[in-house]
Amino acid sequence: MLALVSPALLVILALIVLPVGWLAWQSIYHDGFTLENYRRVFTEDIYWRSFALTFEISLAVTLIALLLGYPVAYLANALPKGWSILVLALVVLPFWTSVLVRAYAWLVLLQRSGVINQLLRHLELISEPLALVHNSFGTVVATVHILLPFMVLPLYATMQKIPNDLMQAGASLGASPSLTFFRVFLPLSLPGVLAGCTMVFVLCLGFYITPELLGGGRTVMVSMLVSRNVELYNQFGAASAVAVVLLAGVLAIFFVVSRFISLDRVLGQK
């Protein structure tokens, strides 16, 4: 048995254990053992602001993705199979395009001379271009678009498992469609809601390209903090400490979520 799983264990050791171990080592060793990098992370304002902004944007992206993704998943579940496949194909279609290309596309759309500002000025709804990009707004809009499939697919998978008989039973007992939805369908779809929210929130915590382009240097999320510590200040220890704290936060989120739903379901294995 050990011989069969040895190749897999070696791959895990080489691709996961060693890199994470080296990351942790760099964060605590600089000419000897030190916790200075972690002291900076937990005491300096720039780190606190960056972590707070990252969590705020991740939470906003998750809530908006849920509000947009739930009706799409519900529609895909309610439609006949052919139409359902078409809706899901439209949701998955952005996966075939690079994240970088999609971020630049949003940059073109939202900039001061972009399509949206020009349209609003043409309709005489605004007199001056709106600041839609190089701020948190542009970052949230583009990130929601990129991460929306990660919300829709777990929701759809959960809704597919809800028996139609329950909805018909509710209707036969005199319940209105809205009452049946809120009392029967919505509670049964909550595992999909939790799985989708967890996936979107965790992915957003580590987003880099989109906030870098759409934030214009003003929306400094944690991933950008890691990048700047390495590229601008050549401080690998500080960057490693930030990355370790972020990783610990993600693991803590998964631990809390696992108390309510199987992680296999969150990761799409069931």
Side-chain angles (χ1 to χ4, degrees):
M1 183 64 181
L2 182 60
L4 291 175
V5 299
S6 292
L9 291 176
L10 289 175
V11 171
I12 293 173
L13 180 66
L15 299 183
I16 299 177
V17 177
L18 289 179
V20 173
W22 177 246
L23 192 72
W25 174 254
Q26 278 192 316
S27 68
I28 60 173
Y29 187 85
H30 182 70
D31 296 331
F33 176 78
T34 177
L35 293 177
E36 174 62 19
N37 293 319
Y38 289 99
R39 185 197 66 76
R40 293 176 57 191
V41 171
F42 288 108
T43 58
E44 293 188 5
D45 286 343
I46 185 173
Y47 291 98
W48 279 101
R49 288 198 301 270
S50 183
F51 272 98
L53 180 64
T54 301
F55 275 84
E56 288 174 6
I57 289 180
S58 299
L59 186 60
V61 168
T62 303
L63 292 176
I64 296 172
L66 176 61
L67 293 176
L68 296 176
Y70 197 97
V72 175
Y74 185 83
L75 177 65
N77 180 63
L79 289 174
K81 190 173 183 179
W83 289 103
S84 174
I85 293 175
L86 177 61
V87 171
L88 293 177
L90 293 175
V91 171
V92 178
L93 194 61
F95 275 128
W96 299 345
T97 306
S98 165
V99 172
L100 183 62
V101 172
R102 281 181 278 169
Y104 268 116
W106 276 109
L107 186 62
V108 172
L109 288 172
L110 298 176
Q111 62 184 329
R112 292 178 65 85
S113 60
V115 176
I116 294 178
N117 267 318
Q118 287 185 0
L119 178 62
L120 293 176
R121 296 185 70 176
H122 178 74
L123 297 174
E124 298 183 351
L125 296 176
I126 58 175
S127 57
E128 295 293 330
L130 299 176
L132 302 177
V133 75
H134 295 160
N135 50 31
S136 296
F137 176 82
T139 302
V140 169
V141 170
T143 306
V144 167
H145 171 246
I146 293 170
L147 294 182
L148 189 59
F150 292 97
M151 179 65 75
V152 174
L153 297 180
L155 280 170
Y156 175 75
T158 300
M159 291 177 181
Q160 279 280 288
K161 297 175 183 176
I162 300 176
N164 288 328
D165 295 345
L166 295 178
M167 305 295 290
Q168 295 171 358
S172 67
L173 293 174
S176 64
S178 59
L179 182 61
T180 306
F181 173 80
F182 285 108
R183 297 292 295 273
V184 178
F185 192 88
L186 182 60
L188 292 175
S189 67
L190 288 182
V193 172
L194 186 56
C197 289
T198 304
M199 187 64 72
V200 171
F201 188 81
V202 168
L203 289 175
C204 191
L205 287 177
F207 241 45
Y208 174 72
I209 294 177
T210 304
E212 181 72 54
L213 292 177
L214 278 298
R218 299 172 183 169
T219 307
V220 182
M221 295 178 69
V222 173
S223 57
M224 298 165 64
L225 209 57
V226 174
S227 172
R228 292 181 180 185
N229 269 313
V230 173
E231 295 177 354
L232 298 181
Y233 310 118
N234 198 30
Q235 294 182 348
F236 287 86
S240 299
V242 174
V244 169
V245 172
L246 180 61
L247 178 61
V250 170
L251 293 177
I253 291 171
F254 276 121
F255 176 77
V256 173
V257 172
S258 68
R259 302 295 93 186
F260 302 96
I261 181 175
S262 168
L263 287 182
D264 289 340
R265 200 163 186 173
V266 176
L267 299 175
Q269 296 180 3
K270 286 185 179 180

